[in-house]
Amino acid sequence: MPTFRHKVEYFPVWLMATAIGVLPRSMARAFCQGIGMLMYTAHRRLRKVGLRNLDLAFPQKTRKEKLQILRALFIGLGRQLAEFALFPRYRKESASEIAIYDGFQNFAEARARGKGVLFLTAHFGDGRLVPLFTRSMAIP
């Protein structure tokens, strides 16, 4: 059962997500990318952890390259925040404005033959949107 404290902590998050959710998509994404850059700038400790992880993963990269990767990560998290806030208004009719399917005809043909389909895909963009749009495009 949510406590009063939980409700008080949740309210500003709900308010911000609701406000972002009414913005046009391009404006919501730009605003949230700004939030991502603000977090990158404000949270020194998270930057240090990120740089340490990048040191382990990419010892050959320069500090400048690692900082570019880290900034891009925070900007990407901002874009995900925007998509999260916009998610309730996404519909089957608008899927093609948000997601691009390359090779979707292969899925449609296999489904028409009654075959199972295994998706193997590169992860570009927000993976949380894939099930929504795959379902909306595949099922009449």
Side-chain angles (χ1 to χ4, degrees), residues 55-140:
D55 286 339
L56 295 170
F58 303 108
Q60 74 284 5
K61 291 197 179 289
T62 66
R63 180 172 171 80
K64 182 179 178 181
E65 290 172 315
K66 292 171 190 170
L67 287 171
Q68 288 173 337
I69 292 169
L70 202 52
R71 274 191 297 275
L73 172 77
F74 276 82
I75 289 170
L77 289 172
R79 277 193 303 271
Q80 288 184 18
L81 171 62
E83 296 301 340
F84 173 79
L86 295 168
F87 198 82
R89 72 181 196 205
Y90 289 158
R91 300 289 179 265
K92 179 179 181 176
E93 299 76 31
S94 64
S96 64
E97 298 170 19
I98 298 157
I100 299 170
Y101 274 94
D102 185 18
F104 189 79
Q105 70 280 3
N106 298 318
F107 170 81
E109 290 169 11
R111 188 169 187 272
R113 289 191 311 265
K115 301 291 183 182
V117 178
L118 177 64
F119 276 93
L120 299 175
T121 179
H123 181 79
F124 295 108
D126 191 344
R128 282 160 283 301
L129 297 176
V130 173
L132 170 73
F133 293 120
T134 300
R135 179 164 168 67
S136 70
M137 292 178 77
I139 299 174

